[in-house]
Amino acid sequence: MTRFLAPTIATPRPAPQDPRQWHDRLREDLFYSPGATLATLGMLALLAFAGWHLLNWALLDAVFTGTAELSPSDACRTPGVTGACWAVIGDKLRLILFGVYPYAEQWRPAVACVLMIVLYVLSVQRRLWRPSLALIWVVFLGAVIVLMRGGVFGLSSVTDDQWGGLPVTLILSTLGLGMAFPVAILLALARQQRKLPMLQAASVGLIEFARGVPLLVVLFMASVMMPLFLPADWQISKLLRVLIAFTLFGAAYLAEVIRGGLQAIPAGQYEAAAALSLNYAQTMRDVILPQALRMVIPGIVNIFIGFFKATSIVVVVGIFDLMTAAKRAVSDPLWQNAGIEVYLFAALIYFVFCFSLSRYSARLERDLARGATN
Amino acid sequence: MTQPLLTITGLNKWFGEYHALRDVDLSVASGERIVVCGPSGSGKSTLIRCINRIEQFEQGSIVLEGVTEKGARQTESIRRQVGMVFQHFNLFPHMSVLDNCTLAPMRSLKQPRAQAESYARELLDRVRIADQADKLPGQLSGGQQQRVAIARALCMKPRLMLFDEPTSALDPEMVQEVLDTMVGLAEDGMTMICVTHEMGFARQVADRVVFMDRGQILEVAPPAAFFDHPEHERSREFLGKLLHH
Amino acid sequence: MTQSRSHSKLRVASAQAVVFAAVGLLLFWLFAITGAELRARGIETGFGFLFEPARTAIANAPFTFTPGVNSNALALIAGGLNTLKISALVIVLATVLGLGLGLGRLSRNRLLRGVCLGYIELVRNVPVLIHISLCYAVALSLPGPRETAPFMGALITNRGFFLPYPAPDMLWLASALTGVLAALGVARWRRHGGRWHPGALVFVLLTLAAMALPWLLLGRAPEMVTPAVAGFRVNGGWSLSPELIAIVAALTLYTATFLGEIIRGAIQSVPRGQWEATEALALPLRTVRRSVIYPQAIRVALPALSNEYIGVIKNSSLAVVIGYQEIVGIGNTVLFDTGQAVEVMAVLAAFFVVVSLAFSALMNFLNTRTAWASRT
């Protein structure tokens, strides 16, 4: 038998240029088989058809403003107008955004919205993921409430039944989640532990109840049942009742996400903490929770997105949020046929918030996954 | 000299910018048993995965004797004639052992069920797990699963068998049963290319040992010569490490 | 050692007692306050109201419901049936659409992938309530019955959809029978047959041909009941109200995006090694998908899918915003008629908890059916 020995050590060479031209790529991506060609052409035709009609409806044939002779709503109802009636947005913008908040004071909800958006931007900075982030939340949300309520610093007092539109949506979801967070941690810890079965049962009962029942039913409970549970002279505003319902509802969902994080912590971490003679509170606060919470941040963001969308349901119990404001705009006799336009506008606002958050959450998930493997 | 069964010439493969296989040439005669070894990341697995086109390659050619078609048909024809056993078995977990073995003959070779089943049972008997035919893979031990995987590959009546580190995912006590099965296969005259570090197996059955490092074949020699008197500096280094651990 | 253990046992026991006392006190407080509050408002407690006649009529009742004669309990049952009707329709339709979206996201065709991704992102980032309102606005902006022409026997109007349905005719029965027989025969052939494997298309075509056979033999098509415009109304046909269409369409379009992502994730979660094994065995792609990948993906997807389906049942309660009377809407009406807030809420909560639990049990059963021993 002969022996082969490599005469030299081969040096690595750069990969050869991909010989495929752009039309090769196009064929591989879109026209790789007769069926694919058919599907691609069919979809293109459909997209072109839909796109053309959409363009006509939304832009070319649309009415954006009134004219000198015609008021905006009359301009929309001129015979022969077949496009969208965007004039309604101009006419009702302030109502949709800020509800029935006193017109002269509407800079306050506007500033409150900006504050909350700044809060979101701060919260997604990883440098700020420390316990002090909770303080930032308290300060910002406190400022938002003061701004909206007024009654101090020379701001006129505005009761919360006059709040409306986008700030209410943001307050319900943000404040609701902020208040739900500590409750959720307690619920998750109560469910996770094995020493106090009573407490565990109570936590499981609350979580499973809130997750088993539609949010709508929880909101009904808050609006019609909660007054019965409280002494007659304790009555609290509807917005606050709904906020409490949101907090409990959100806490149940958040608790399950946090519990997932707790379960993902290896038993060795508990054993190491016990070996260092840390007690339960120390173990949780210093060892387990910081790891578990960091792990579930994408899940928390997803819950927040769901929460943000779910706030629209308060329209049913008569809270004036973005959705209710849209509905109110359409209920104006002048604009009764503009439902599609108004709802599309509201959809756009929701979309901007939810889409950017979901992009962020997806990126975060990838980053954290990569960090975990390194 | 007869026509080789498999001829690899000038094979080059890149993963992105990483040059994974560098000018690999190798030919395998019918009935020959090759053991491929080398440090991890040296391209051993990539090489044998290129043979049945589970990996694509940029330059060079791999020709299986008797396969003349081009393109996709060639790939399919090669895969029908080349069996492969994976490190992690890759059995279909939701199918019984017997169904794992009969799926490909029935669907790829269009054999009737009765024929596929009787041949599968014969092979399961040969790897000594005929009594487990109706169990799910998850109910078997690792060694048994790997033997099922060997039987599954054999059901296609391959002309060449590829083994990709078949024993490295197994608990130590199960390694021998799988190696015994492979030795039996070699004694029946099957052409085999095995990526493995089992030196006992290599000495017992291999006709040639191929040593790879950094994507290149550095030394090819009969096992006795290779293990006792490695000539390439890197081979000596590798064997030294292997023996001292 | 023993001392410290008994000490900590004592601590746990006392902590338990504190929790017990706290929960008990809370419940006692709630009942005491609520009782006083209800007495002050002159509301009776108890479930007697369920058997009193209902005061308000129900739109879209699934059976004839007469207020003043039929009880509140029957009204709630009607609502429950409507909830289940919406949920069942949405679950079936959304699964079909979601399957298309999920598979489309994994297609080799780049355009199809892009279209599916675009649809999913666009739809799922907008609240379902907006979808419901939009679908309802669209349903109401359709032309009236007199301005529309029938399309394949169906009328699509702002009063709802009116679809033709098969009249009682023995020919339908004969057709169904030959179809089933043909399908069973081909399936049997496929299982035990030799070299020839009829594909899905051949299967469907053979079945359809068999179904048409009795028509050809008798020389006539079976009868249909078709809707017809009469004045401002439409008579005959199977009618679907705009409210039902809007809620089913909106929930379907919305839920399908989530189902699609679950299905895509499940298929992608099948380990690469499984694909490689099928390649090494030269299995045809169709077999790979049907026999190897999909069965494993279904097992991964099932828990998430069942969560999503329970979500559909809960989301169906949103039909209340467009006035479709399902259980929450009717519960709300009964609540305002009787003032029995606590009891009505208890009924609603119990309904959803029971339905969710029953559905989970069903899904668990399916899960054990699709489960196999795990590799360790």
Side-chain angles (χ1 to χ4, degrees):
Chain A
M1 272 277 186
T2 52
R3 185 193 288 257
F4 163 83
L5 269 184
T8 51
I9 300 286
T11 45
R13 296 190 297 268
Q17 283 285 313
D18 193 341
R20 292 174 302 170
Q21 298 288 312
W22 63 269
H23 52 263
D24 294 326
R25 295 257 174 91
L26 210 61
R27 195 174 57 235
E28 278 170 31
D29 284 345
L30 297 173
F31 305 105
Y32 48 87
S33 72
T37 306
L38 208 67
T40 303
L41 293 179
M43 274 189 290
L44 281 178
L46 212 67
L47 284 177
F49 178 78
W52 173 243
H53 277 263
L54 197 67
L55 186 72
N56 268 334
W57 180 79
L59 289 177
L60 301 182
D61 295 342
V63 176
F64 290 93
T65 51
T67 55
E69 313 81 83
L70 290 172
S71 72
S73 75
D74 287 335
C76 282
R77 273 176 295 181
T78 317
V81 169
T82 55
C85 171
W86 298 119
V88 64
I89 306 299
D91 199 39
K92 295 286 182 189
L93 185 63
R94 298 282 284 262
L95 177 71
I96 295 172
L97 286 182
F98 304 124
V100 291
Y101 206 85
Y103 199 82
E105 300 287 328
Q106 286 189 357
W107 62 271
R108 282 156 58 181
V111 172
C113 288
V114 172
L115 277 180
M116 273 184 288
I117 292 169
V118 171
L119 179 61
Y120 300 154
V121 172
L122 286 179
S123 301
V124 301
Q125 305 298 320
R126 265 205 253 181
R127 288 178 290 119
L128 295 175
W129 287 1
R130 290 181 252 134
S132 56
L133 188 59
L135 193 70
I136 298 181
W137 273 61
V138 170
V139 169
F140 268 79
L141 291 176
V144 165
I145 298 301
V146 168
L147 207 55
M148 293 292 288
R149 279 182 70 90
V152 284
F153 308 127
L155 298 170
S156 60
S157 174
V158 180
T159 53
D160 63 16
D161 50 345
Q162 286 172 286
W163 301 4
L166 186 59
V168 169
T169 293
L170 293 176
I171 287 173
L172 278 177
S173 46
T174 316
L175 198 58
L177 190 90
M179 288 174 13
F181 197 68
V183 181
I185 291 178
L186 293 180
L187 279 176
L189 289 178
R191 187 168 184 171
Q192 180 78 354
Q193 53 82 29
R194 293 278 171 274
K195 275 193 173 164
L196 305 174
M198 272 292 296
L199 189 63
Q200 192 188 21
S203 158
V204 171
L206 189 64
I207 292 174
E208 293 307 324
F209 175 78
R211 282 160 44 92
V213 170
L215 175 59
L216 186 56
V217 172
V218 176
L219 290 179
F220 272 139
M221 287 180 177
S223 66
V224 299
M225 260 167 73
M226 212 185 282
L228 302 178
F229 286 158
L230 297 171
D233 46 343
W234 273 27
Q235 295 313 342
I236 51 179
S237 78
K238 204 197 263 175
L239 186 64
L240 195 53
R241 292 203 301 263
V242 165
L243 188 61
I244 291 169
F246 256 105
T247 303
L248 292 177
F249 189 76
Y253 280 83
L254 266 182
E256 283 300 277
V257 170
I258 293 172
R259 191 167 71 103
L262 290 176
Q263 282 172 337
I265 302 292
Q269 293 290 315
Y270 291 91
E271 286 159 12
L276 294 170
S277 80
L278 298 181
N279 64 25
Y280 178 79
Q282 291 165 332
T283 305
M284 285 301 162
R285 194 190 61 212
D286 299 329
V287 181
I288 305 300
L289 277 176
Q291 298 184 57
L293 291 181
R294 184 169 274 264
M295 211 181 292
V296 298
I297 285 175
I300 294 175
V301 178
N302 286 340
I303 293 269
F304 181 72
I305 296 171
F307 225 63
F308 189 83
K309 290 188 288 177
T311 52
S312 58
I313 296 174
V314 297
V315 68
V316 179
V317 290
I319 299 289
F320 214 116
D321 77 323
L322 184 57
M323 176 72 203
T324 317
K327 216 174 154 71
R328 190 67 65 87
V330 178
S331 70
D332 184 332
L334 286 177
W335 295 111
Q336 278 191 331
N337 293 321
I340 295 177
E341 290 84 348
V342 171
Y343 289 128
L344 279 180
F345 179 70
L348 180 71
I349 297 179
Y350 281 110
F351 180 81
V352 167
F353 278 94
C354 295
F355 183 68
S356 35
L357 273 169
S358 73
R359 290 285 84 192
Y360 167 74
S361 157
R363 210 188 68 205
L364 194 63
E365 213 161 333
R366 263 201 316 277
D367 288 357
L368 290 181
R370 199 178 305 135
T373 53
N374 286 352
Chain B
M1 184 155 172
T2 54
Q3 176 94 6
L5 176 67
L6 180 80
T7 314
I8 302 174
T9 35
L11 183 65
N12 275 287
K13 172 167 177 64
W14 283 264
F15 286 113
E17 280 306 304
Y18 177 66
H19 196 173
L21 291 177
R22 303 173 191 174
D23 301 322
V24 172
D25 294 300
L26 185 70
S27 59
V28 182
S30 189
E32 203 180 3
R33 276 90 58 173
I34 307 274
V35 163
V36 184
C37 64
S40 67
S42 59
K44 311 168 296 236
S45 292
T46 310
L47 173 64
I48 67 166
R49 287 154 62 91
C50 282
I51 293 174
N52 66 351
R53 305 293 197 276
I54 287 182
E55 294 292 356
Q56 307 298 316
F57 48 89
E58 280 80 11
Q59 292 172 354
S61 72
I62 299 178
V63 179
L64 187 71
E65 181 211 34
V67 176
T68 51
E69 301 97 331
K70 287 269 176 278
R73 292 182 60 89
Q74 185 198 30
T75 300
E76 183 163 343
S77 161
I78 287 178
R79 285 175 178 170
R80 279 190 190 151
Q81 300 180 44
V82 176
M84 185 164 199
V85 175
F86 298 87
Q87 180 179 3
H88 294 286
F89 331 138
N90 293 351
L91 294 174
F92 305 134
H94 57 297
M95 291 182 181
S96 72
V97 163
L98 188 65
D99 288 343
N100 261 283
C101 293
T102 56
L103 183 71
M106 282 169 59
R107 292 293 149 76
S108 179
L109 304 179
K110 311 278 184 217
Q111 289 176 6
R113 178 181 287 276
Q115 183 192 340
E117 275 191 9
S118 75
Y119 189 55
R121 285 191 191 277
E122 203 176 295
L123 287 172
L124 287 172
D125 192 41
R126 193 161 131 197
V127 299
R128 297 188 313 285
I129 29 181
D131 49 333
Q132 318 275 5
D134 296 320
K135 288 195 179 164
L136 291 172
Q139 295 166 300
L140 305 182
S141 73
Q144 289 173 320
Q145 290 192 49
Q146 193 60 297
R147 284 186 280 150
V148 172
I150 294 172
R152 178 174 75 172
L154 290 176
C155 278
M156 295 289 282
K157 301 203 174 97
R159 298 161 72 194
L160 168 66
M161 283 286 285
L162 307 173
F163 292 86
D164 187 0
E165 307 207 21
T167 55
S168 35
L170 295 176
D171 291 338
E173 74 270 22
M174 294 170 182
V175 169
Q176 200 52 48
E177 62 185 68
V178 172
L179 289 179
D180 288 346
T181 309
M182 290 165 63
V183 170
L185 209 56
E187 283 166 354
D188 291 347
M190 174 64 77
T191 316
M192 304 165 57
I193 302 178
C194 312
V195 173
T196 181
H197 290 158
E198 297 293 336
M199 288 195 293
F201 172 78
R203 277 179 189 272
Q204 190 181 351
V205 304
D207 296 313
R208 284 189 289 163
V209 175
V210 172
F211 174 74
M212 288 184 73
D213 190 24
R214 293 182 212 167
Q216 192 185 6
I217 294 182
L218 292 183
E219 182 164 359
V220 183
F226 177 76
F227 289 118
D228 300 336
H229 311 287
E231 281 190 9
H232 202 283
E233 178 194 349
R234 295 240 187 104
S235 319
R236 281 200 292 271
E237 206 176 299
F238 171 71
L239 286 174
K241 278 184 191 156
L242 208 60
L243 289 174
H244 288 109
H245 289 284
Chain C
M1 184 67 205
T2 43
Q3 198 177 3
S4 85
R5 178 175 288 171
S6 71
H7 179 68
S8 88
K9 252 188 185 168
L10 192 72
R11 250 188 28 202
V12 169
S14 55
Q16 280 272 71
V18 169
V19 174
F20 188 80
V23 172
L25 264 177
L26 186 70
L27 288 178
F28 176 77
W29 187 59
L30 286 183
F31 279 116
I33 297 274
T34 312
E37 193 66 24
L38 289 174
R39 272 191 300 282
R41 296 187 187 191
I43 300 172
E44 272 180 62
T45 53
F47 287 91
F49 74 98
L50 282 176
F51 307 102
E52 288 162 15
R55 282 183 225 163
T56 314
I58 304 175
N60 330 95
F63 45 77
T64 31
F65 182 86
T66 328
V69 179
N70 294 125
S71 65
N72 284 321
L74 202 63
L76 287 168
I77 289 171
L81 286 176
N82 276 347
T83 296
L84 296 179
K85 179 163 105 184
I86 299 173
S87 309
L89 281 171
V90 171
I91 284 174
V92 171
L93 295 173
T95 304
V96 173
L97 183 57
L99 206 57
L101 287 172
L103 297 181
R105 284 271 271 127
L106 296 171
S107 163
R108 205 180 135 186
N109 191 322
R110 204 187 191 116
L111 183 63
L112 183 57
R113 285 205 305 266
V115 167
C116 291
L117 178 65
Y119 174 82
I120 287 173
E121 290 296 351
L122 213 57
V123 169
R124 74 167 175 182
N125 283 310
V126 171
V128 63
L129 208 52
I130 297 256
H131 287 299
I132 295 171
S133 303
L134 265 174
C135 284
Y136 193 47
V138 170
L140 291 183
S141 69
L142 291 169
R146 295 208 291 184
E147 294 132 36
T148 179
F151 177 74
M152 290 177 72
L155 281 169
I156 293 174
T157 74
N158 60 357
R159 301 289 184 85
F161 292 5
F162 301 87
L163 310 176
Y165 63 90
D169 184 342
M170 284 308 283
L171 197 49
W172 285 114
L173 203 66
S175 189
L177 209 65
T178 53
V180 168
L181 284 177
L184 286 177
V186 178
R188 206 181 140 76
W189 177 270
R190 192 139 68 169
R191 211 167 313 126
H192 299 287
R195 302 214 149 253
W196 183 61
H197 278 265
L201 187 68
V202 177
F203 186 100
V204 171
L205 286 179
L206 276 178
T207 308
L208 284 179
M211 289 181 75
L213 196 65
W215 303 17
L216 295 172
L217 287 179
L218 274 149
R220 71 178 178 90
E223 284 170 34
M224 300 283 287
V225 176
T226 46
V229 179
F232 290 103
R233 303 188 40 203
V234 177
N235 287 332
W238 180 37
S239 73
L240 303 167
S241 68
E243 290 81 16
L244 181 69
I245 291 163
I247 182 78
V248 169
L251 285 180
T252 299
L253 295 175
Y254 181 75
T255 310
T257 63
F258 294 90
L259 299 182
E261 286 298 272
I262 290 170
I263 289 163
R264 178 187 62 86
I267 291 174
Q268 283 181 330
S269 79
V270 176
R272 257 179 67 92
Q274 292 289 311
W275 286 98
E276 289 174 358
T278 64
E279 286 174 6
L281 290 168
L283 284 171
L285 195 55
R286 189 145 49 101
T287 307
V288 172
R289 294 205 183 107
R290 201 164 47 199
S291 304
V292 178
I293 304 302
Y294 293 164
Q296 298 189 53
I298 287 172
R299 197 183 88 123
V300 175
L302 212 51
L305 287 181
S306 73
N307 259 344
E308 225 32 74
Y309 290 153
I310 290 173
V312 168
I313 298 171
K314 291 193 277 175
N315 274 343
S316 71
S317 62
L318 297 178
V320 75
V321 289
I322 53 171
Y324 187 83
Q325 297 272 44
E326 45 64 68
I327 193 159
V328 176
I330 289 176
N332 210 16
T333 313
V334 172
L335 193 158
F336 281 105
D337 285 346
T338 62
Q340 312 236 269
V342 180
E343 292 84 352
V344 170
M345 286 300 149
V347 169
L348 293 186
F351 173 81
F352 282 102
V353 170
V354 166
V355 170
S356 299
L357 286 180
F359 199 85
S360 299
L362 177 72
M363 281 306 195
N364 275 338
F365 171 72
L366 282 181
N367 207 8
T368 52
R369 285 282 305 274
T370 61
W372 57 85
S374 63
R375 274 189 289 184
T376 44

